[in-house]
Amino acid sequence: MKKLSILFILFFITDLFPLDLQFFREDLNFEIKDEYFYVDGIYYFRNFKDKEIKKILFYPFPVDTLYGEVDSIRAINVLSDSIDTIIRRNEKGAFFTLEIEPDTTVKYRISYCQKLLGNKAEYILVTTQSWGRPFEQVNYTLTFPKELILDSLSYMPDSLKDIGNKYIFYWYKENFMPDRNFKILFSDK
């Protein structure tokens, strides 16, 4: 019975993250503005199969007493200019449909904003580990108003620009397997 349970779990995981479907890159823009945390990103998926893949994927939200509700989430296939593919959501995340033709790459644009109830914002990165391979490449930006003090970041930025009344932090990584979430702690001046 134990072997049967293990086989079922392995089948379930393989079905959720098929070996021929690869999530290999993300380009994300984060912004803290007016007590909200905005996330807008392009997510890259590759199909190595000789047939179309249609999957429902889960997109997680951070849950904490310092975070309010997520609103205005959208997921759109950039290449086909599809309509919003979000099919269901709750306080822990949203489900969206992914469709990808044989032996091709697709880009999905996913965006949302989350009310901040305190001095912390977070983006979930560690779920990347469930795909079983690191990102080939990531590009992140964080736009941060100067009227706030940045207390800490979970990842040190590669560069910084000072533009008007805000700062923009930049990250670029190759072969990146996140070992922690992207967290921002800040306070008022």
Side-chain angles (χ1 to χ4, degrees):
M1 185 66 177
K2 199 174 205 179
K3 286 183 182 179
L4 185 60
S5 296
I6 291 170
L7 285 174
F8 176 74
I9 290 169
L10 286 173
F11 174 76
F12 183 71
I13 290 170
T14 302
D15 191 48
L16 279 177
F17 304 105
L19 300 175
D20 294 327
L21 176 63
Q22 185 182 29
F23 176 32
F24 67 96
R25 177 179 169 179
E26 62 184 10
D27 299 331
L28 305 176
N29 298 304
F30 306 113
E31 183 171 11
I32 293 177
K33 182 174 141 186
D34 301 326
E35 298 179 354
Y36 280 89
F37 182 53
Y38 294 88
V39 176
D40 185 15
I42 304 292
Y43 300 80
Y44 297 76
F45 299 91
R46 194 180 283 140
N47 178 0
F48 290 112
K49 285 186 171 184
D50 58 359
K51 64 179 183 175
E52 181 181 27
I53 293 176
K54 290 185 179 183
K55 287 283 176 197
I56 296 174
L57 297 181
F58 181 69
Y59 186 93
F61 303 139
V63 177
D64 188 293
T65 56
L66 295 178
Y67 307 142
E69 189 175 326
V70 168
D71 62 24
S72 65
I73 180 152
R74 296 182 52 183
I76 297 168
N77 181 329
V78 174
L79 301 177
S80 69
D81 207 21
S82 69
I83 58 171
D84 190 0
T85 64
I86 298 290
I87 56 172
R88 192 172 72 232
R89 64 174 269 200
N90 60 37
E91 67 281 347
K92 293 182 181 177
F95 294 89
F96 71 99
T97 56
L98 173 90
E99 295 183 17
I100 178 169
E101 295 295 321
D103 198 31
T104 60
T105 297
V106 294
K107 297 189 294 188
Y108 276 73
R109 182 176 186 178
I110 301 176
S111 60
Y112 70 89
C113 67
Q114 185 170 29
K115 177 77 172 165
L116 299 177
L117 304 177
N119 63 342
K120 179 177 159 188
E122 181 176 1
Y123 176 79
I124 296 177
L125 282 175
V126 294
T127 52
T128 304
Q129 295 173 6
S130 62
W131 288 85
R133 63 185 311 135
F135 288 116
E136 291 174 12
Q137 177 183 334
V138 298
N139 295 285
Y140 302 143
T141 67
L142 168 64
T143 303
F144 195 82
K146 287 183 178 176
E147 68 259 13
L148 298 178
I149 298 169
L150 183 61
D151 295 323
S152 74
L153 291 166
S154 56
Y155 293 93
M156 288 299 293
D158 297 314
S159 61
L160 163 72
K161 280 190 182 175
D162 181 340
I163 300 177
N165 62 351
K166 56 187 156 189
Y167 295 111
I168 302 176
F169 298 87
Y170 297 88
W171 291 261
Y172 172 80
K173 297 185 181 303
E174 292 181 353
N175 196 33
F176 178 54
M177 179 61 85
D179 61 357
R180 59 196 174 277
N181 288 335
F182 189 95
K183 291 184 183 178
I184 306 150
L185 297 177
F186 58 91
S187 53
D188 294 322
K189 281 191 174 179

